[in-house]
Amino acid sequence: MQLTKKGLWAGIIHEYREFLPEIGTDAITTLHEGNTPLIETSNLRDIFGAIRLLLKYEGLNPTGSFKDRGMTLAVSKAREEGVKAVICASTGNTSASAAAYAAKAGMKAYVLVPEGAIALGKLSQAIMHGALVLQIKGGFDDALNIVKEITKNYPVKMVNSINPFRIEGQKTAAFEVCEHLGHAPTYHFLPVGNAGNITAYWRGYNEYRKKGAISNLPKMMGFQAEGAAPIVAGHPIEHPETIATAIKIGNPASWTNATSARDASGGVIEAVSDADIIEAYKLLASREGVFCEPASAASLAGAIKMKKDGVLNDGDTVVCTLTGHGLKDPNTAINSCPKPTKVAADLKKILKAMGL
Ligand code: AN7
């Protein structure tokens, strides 16, 4: 068991090569993604009691989300094949990651995003990294359908999680959780959008167990936003709605893989309300010092719900993946807190405002 990683972290392809599809060293395109912290919570005992709750903080990846783990592999593989351009549909994070890794690989990136429905930080990343950003008058599901059409007929590589290398790269997060803990957690909570990540973690845990690195498997606990919960409803949602724009998806590409992971692990896929998501989002920032984006907080909101429902027990080890950094979406942060107090540049007035 490796409790801490020493030395320079070379990125998930170099570090986990034996678990990943073969790839020529020259093609490897990395920004040193992975090796994110698993943070022990300190100040949520009033909610969780004697449950051990940890946060897999994927916001600390190079572009600020878990997407980098899959993107390093998808773009490296595309580079090995001699591909010149990549394309994706995105609720934001995939576009930011695709744009960055394409820039590193010297490729063109095309990204299709729903107009007005992606967080500001993500849009700024895609633009800064030089992607051609097309804002479509439609949702993520429309964008993905169009991307599928384009890749059928043109020499551009799809880097959505339908690209099998994305899931392969993302599974490495499960390895890291096991290395940190020395075993798999009892429960693993994740937000679910296109359902690639829950698929990837489940695969990662299973492969690590096959290698003999762990002996247990977690129950996979996926949480969708109430207004965008097709898997919970059992049918696609034509007009998904949620404040958590990252998971505003009505027809997930990895639907059946996600339900298989749920069923094989004895877990659940359920929904949490936007209000619950925002409450968990604020709780993490204000009590734990961890700033994640709203969609990410669906994992904690789910864990709170499962604790209230009596599903979680004292002594359980619970991991929540926080999929993206809070700075991705400054608007939601600012809108969900009281406005900062305005005060004159005057010592007395400032002391009064401080309550001193
Ligand atoms: C922060 O960027 O689908 O269930 O296009 O950005 O694997 O889709 C983002 C998804 C959770 C859901 N949290 O993961 C995209 C995109 C954050 C995300 C999800 C996303 P999946």
Side-chain angles (χ1 to χ4, degrees):
M1 180 184 53
Q2 194 177 5
L3 283 176
T4 52
K5 301 217 170 63
K6 297 197 173 69
L8 295 175
W9 177 259
I12 61 117
I13 298 179
H14 290 292
E15 300 285 345
Y16 292 115
R17 222 155 168 182
E18 57 177 307
F19 292 95
L20 297 173
E22 251 178 64
I23 183 158
T25 302
D26 291 351
I28 295 176
T29 305
T30 180
L31 296 167
H32 301 259
E33 57 295 315
N35 199 25
T36 57
L38 187 65
I39 302 172
E40 195 95 41
T41 57
S42 318
N43 303 314
L44 299 174
R45 281 198 196 97
D46 56 332
I47 302 169
F48 287 98
I51 291 162
R52 184 180 181 199
L53 178 72
L54 302 108
L55 311 168
K56 181 65 174 160
Y57 193 21
E58 289 287 280
L60 292 192
N61 275 297
T63 77
S65 87
F66 72 99
K67 303 286 182 182
D68 295 342
R69 293 179 185 273
M71 205 55 73
T72 183
L73 203 61
V75 168
S76 296
K77 272 288 176 186
R79 189 168 166 190
E80 191 169 50
E81 288 170 25
V83 166
K84 299 277 181 285
V86 295
I87 188 167
C88 65
S90 182
T91 58
N93 280 325
T94 300
S95 72
S97 189
Y101 283 82
K104 179 77 173 168
M107 289 177 194
K108 179 80 196 162
Y110 301 99
V111 309
L112 271 67
V113 298
E115 185 183 356
I118 83 165
L120 200 62
K122 303 173 189 181
L123 186 61
S124 69
Q125 288 176 290
I127 293 167
M128 275 298 287
H129 292 305
L132 178 71
V133 179
L134 299 170
Q135 307 197 67
I136 68 157
K137 285 195 194 309
F140 169 84
D141 304 288
D142 303 311
L144 186 58
N145 286 334
I146 295 165
V147 165
K148 283 185 197 163
E149 279 303 308
I150 294 171
T151 52
K152 264 189 221 158
N153 301 312
Y154 295 90
V156 285
K157 194 74 173 181
M158 147 94 78
V159 292
N160 280 104
S161 57
I162 302 165
N163 179 323
F165 299 118
R166 281 276 314 280
I167 305 287
E168 282 293 301
Q170 282 173 213
K171 77 185 180 190
T172 59
F175 301 162
E176 292 177 16
V177 170
C178 296
E179 287 163 15
H180 283 263
L181 292 173
H183 52 82
T186 328
Y187 292 93
H188 195 121
F189 284 79
L190 288 157
V192 172
N194 221 16
N197 215 24
I198 192 167
T199 303
Y201 270 91
W202 182 237
R203 187 183 296 174
Y205 282 122
N206 277 281
E207 288 186 8
Y208 235 40
R209 190 171 72 153
K210 268 204 196 106
K211 281 266 180 184
I214 51 167
S215 54
N216 64 319
L217 289 170
K219 291 184 176 19
M220 301 304 298
M221 311 294 275
F223 283 82
Q224 304 199 290
E226 223 165 57
I231 298 176
V232 181
H235 57 78
I237 305 292
E238 202 175 336
H239 298 292
E241 266 314 325
T242 170
I243 193 164
T245 52
I247 52 172
K248 194 170 159 184
I249 294 174
N251 192 11
S254 297
W255 187 315
T256 52
N257 288 328
T259 50
S260 300
R262 174 195 66 194
D263 298 340
S265 72
V268 303
I269 296 180
E270 290 194 12
V272 282
S273 69
D274 278 8
D276 291 342
I277 288 173
I278 293 299
E279 195 183 316
Y281 167 68
K282 292 173 74 173
L283 201 65
L284 280 174
S286 61
R287 288 218 213 155
E288 294 295 330
V290 176
F291 192 17
C292 68
E293 63 173 284
S296 307
S299 61
L300 180 67
I304 293 173
K305 184 175 175 186
M306 291 295 101
K307 168 64 183 159
K308 281 186 186 152
D309 289 356
V311 174
L312 310 182
N313 294 307
D314 285 357
D316 285 343
T317 301
V318 174
V319 171
C320 289
T321 294
L322 302 180
T323 44
H325 202 288
L327 290 171
K328 292 269 189 180
D329 189 355
N331 293 329
T332 303
I334 287 168
N335 292 335
S336 47
C337 295
K339 292 270 170 293
T341 309
K342 286 187 183 177
V343 58
D346 174 275
L347 180 62
K348 272 194 190 146
K349 290 197 171 118
I350 288 171
L351 286 171
K352 187 163 175 248
M354 291 169 75
L356 297 176

